[in-house]
Amino acid sequence: MSVRMFLREAVGFEDRYIDETVRTVFLNNSPVDDIDATYIKDGDRMALGSAMPGLVGIVMGRDNFYKSFRSGIAVKEATRADSSPALLSVKVFATLAVESGRAILERGIVADPALLASFLSDKRDLIREADGEDADTFIGRLEGMTEKVAFRVIFG
């Protein structure tokens, strides 16, 4: 799927939000200009942000007048991959993370269980229930897992 389709269908962003707020998109460390003609594939790494400040922020923002300054590092390949499930790493930065982080976590993500257990270990008092288990039992189970774990956060 295209980057735009991924942002809309997997992340849950609306087109207007994508066009007006998601101004910086990197795919595998390269800036993306055309989110409709750039396609993701299994194993890709994506970084998302709102408009970044300063000259670098202006130049790295997607599809802008100054994109020629970074033409050597921008995504060039726009070929579609086979239509198959893909797992990719997505990092959301700055104000975009603040604005959308809660909605993304409520929608659901996939994480490495050891990293998740490490993150949650000092936040046990914030966990009411996880898969019907108390925090200690849940974190202990995560520590013993090897496969990625899908989860969503219910705030309340």
Side-chain angles (χ1 to χ4, degrees), residues 113-114 117 130-146 149:
D131 279 349
E133 300 171 334
D134 64 42
D136 290 332
T137 305
F138 178 70
I139 292 170
R141 189 163 51 91
L142 283 175
E143 292 170 339
M145 297 173 74
T146 56
V149 58

Side-chain angles (χ1 to χ4, degrees), residues 76-93:
K76 292 173 183 52
E77 186 176 317
T79 58
R80 290 181 190 240
D82 293 335
S83 179
S84 60
L87 183 63
L88 61 147
S89 170
V90 179
K91 295 181 181 181
V92 185
F93 292 96

Side-chain angles (χ1 to χ4, degrees), residues 48-50 92-99:
L48 305 170
S50 50
V92 185
F93 292 96
T95 58
L96 187 65
V98 173
E99 291 176 5

Side-chain angles (χ1 to χ4, degrees), residues 1-9 25-28 30-46 75-84 86-88:
M1 66 177 44
S2 71
V3 170
R4 177 185 297 277
M5 189 180 274
F6 172 78
L7 294 175
R8 187 174 45 228
E9 294 182 18
V25 178
F26 282 81
L27 188 62
N28 301 319
S30 294
V32 175
D33 286 308
D34 190 345
I35 61 173
D36 295 304
T38 302
Y39 297 89
I40 61 166
K41 61 185 179 316
D42 189 44
D44 279 349
R45 294 177 328 274
M46 184 181 293
V75 170
K76 292 173 183 52
E77 186 176 317
T79 58
R80 290 181 190 240
D82 293 335
S83 179
S84 60
L87 183 63
L88 61 147

Side-chain angles (χ1 to χ4, degrees), residues 6 20-21 30 70 92 100 111 115 119 123 153-154:
F6 172 78
E20 295 176 6
T21 306
S30 294
R70 57 162 169 73
V92 185
S100 63
L115 289 175
F119 174 77
K123 298 166 184 62
V153 176
I154 300 170

